[in-house]
Amino acid sequence: MSPSAGGLVVFLLSVQVIQSQDGWGVNYQQTDVCAAKGSTVEIICDYTHPPGIRPSDIKDRFWFTKEKDGEPVNLKTDSEYSGRVTYGCYSKECHLIITDVRESDSAEYKLTFMTNKPGEKYTGSPGVTLSVTGLQVKVRRSDSTWLELTCHSSCVLSDHPEYYWYKNEKYIKTGSSLLVSSGSTDRYFCYLRESWNHRSLAVYGPQRPSVSVSPSAEMLEGDSVTLTCSADANPAASYTWYKAHRTSDPRLLSEEPQLVFSSIQSSDSGNYSCTAENQLGRKTSDFISIDVKYGPQRPSVSASPSAEMLEGDSVTLTCSADANPAANYTWYKEHEDSPRASGQIFTITDFTAEHSGNYYCEAQNEMGRSNSTLLLITESAVDRTTMIIHITRWTLVSVMLIVLLLFCLWTRKKKAVSSTTEPHESREAVEMDLHPEYEDLSDMAAQREDPEEQEDQV
């Protein structure tokens, strides 16, 4: 059941005080008033004046809290109270009504009189001290699952104050405390029955944090950069910063609302997130990407297959440099002004002696430029000697093959000629075997010329 609207809040905290001066006096009904923020307060007093003063002699009566140039400032003319103050006097009783009181209204209020006589005035002092307090909800962890919410005021408003609890603008119960589940995303606040025009601030867990970057323009290496995390939460959230890593858990960087890079480096590029947390819950922001721009580092160059070439070969030169944004590449030969090629890869086809020399590449982006060291490309003398040796070796092999072929042909021809005289040679061999006493061919020839032997043969 929802409570009905309440009325004024005025609490008497001490006995009335009577001031008197030559017949003048102000009796305030209370010296201290405690009121809830947003409520309406009424301060009442009565006064006395000397017997010779007629009511018509009092030309002005008003309430004030501060002075200007030694003179009291009428509350009705004070811009801080505009539209919220009414007062009046009937007979010898005066009252002051302040609506929708604020914490800034906490002050000492006095009534002052001015008569028709120049300079004649009287102020009832000390006055009435007003303390305005706002309702607060205190959060205390009951256990790992539940939180206890308590409606609280800094001053005692009554012996038995009655509070009403709301959840997301809907009334749920009456009482000074309320149990809610930990991690709840709902909003809770309380009302004081005597101060229906005002309620406490709602308590709730953090909403998803937002991240801002300053400066928001392009980040250059060496700049000062600040990341700020903020989240709507009550009680106020605490913050934690993380940097994402591909191969490991996010790395904790800071436990402050701001993450400051006094001189940001290329290694600081990456994805960042922050976490906001209070007693009621925890939320993490989306990742924000930090991209630090920087000029090319010194490029590295390589040759494939090698830097020593044979005439007619092809060689591929490759240049690479760390840069953001990515670098553009230009190739030069030493002592030449005009570039030989552009692009990260430079290929020399049909290598000749004219291509030998020192080469370097230049890497350039909008942040700057950098040149590589020299790369010497030469025609290989060792390989040329090896080639000559190979040519000589194959020439010798060819000559040997030709000689061998000619020898074989000669041998075959000789065998063919020898085959036509083979029977005659056989008979001579037989005769040599039959006449071992002949020691040489001349004896054999003489024997053959013997006439008797010739006759016997006939």
Side-chain angles (χ1 to χ4, degrees), residues 12 39 53 87 99 135 168 171-172 190 194 223 229 246 263 268 285 298 313 366 373 377:
L12 179 63
S39 64
I53 299 295
Y87 57 74
T99 61
L135 291 179
N168 300 329
Y171 170 79
I172 52 175
C190 62
E194 294 88 350
D223 284 352
C229 186
R246 294 181 180 177
S263 178
D268 295 322
S285 71
R298 181 180 289 275
D313 283 353
E366 59 195 58
T373 55
I377 306 296

Side-chain angles (χ1 to χ4, degrees), residues 276-292:
E277 182 176 13
N278 67 7
Q279 298 97 313
L280 281 83
R282 172 188 175 102
K283 285 289 180 65
T284 300
S285 71
D286 295 328
F287 281 111
I288 183 170
S289 179
I290 298 300
D291 187 25
V292 181

